[in-house]
Amino acid sequence: MKYYKDDGKERINETKPRESSIENALTEIDAFPTTEGNFIGFINEKDETIQFHKNEEDAWVLDVPVVENGYFVFSLTDDDLTTEKVKIIVKKFFLGENWRYLCSLTK
């Protein structure tokens, strides 16, 4: 799995994501600050992407870009996630398991 982020202190561009273990991904989530415009995204082995924004201490938004024919078309979102739920989603995403049932994605 790879990740990218902008937490207000460090920016890792999504076009040059870094390799990450599941342990590192969970540590990043636990330490992620609540700053304006923040995001952390993950790319799995299937080349799927999920991205999170932290709005408050325990309130996250999930953003899933939908790409068709190589072009971004729209995003699916869920704006009611706790830190614990984000970590469970990322674990399942990392392992290639079904994670979508854990959230209510809307267009």
Side-chain angles (χ1 to χ4, degrees), residues 49-53 61-65 72 75-78 105:
T49 300
I50 57 175
Q51 182 171 291
F52 299 92
H53 307 275
V61 174
L62 170 59
D63 180 29
V64 182
F72 170 78
S75 289
L76 298 174
T77 61
D78 184 346
L105 293 172

Side-chain angles (χ1 to χ4, degrees), residues 30-45:
D30 280 335
F32 207 74
T34 304
T35 56
E36 185 70 29
N38 70 44
F39 59 85
I40 185 165
F42 301 95
I43 304 167
N44 66 14
E45 299 300 321

Side-chain angles (χ1 to χ4, degrees), residues 6-25:
D6 187 343
D7 63 8
K9 294 180 183 175
E10 181 181 19
R11 178 166 173 78
I12 301 169
N13 198 300
E14 56 270 10
T15 60
K16 294 184 180 180
R18 291 187 189 162
E19 289 291 329
S20 178
S21 65
I22 187 63
E23 294 80 12
N24 180 65

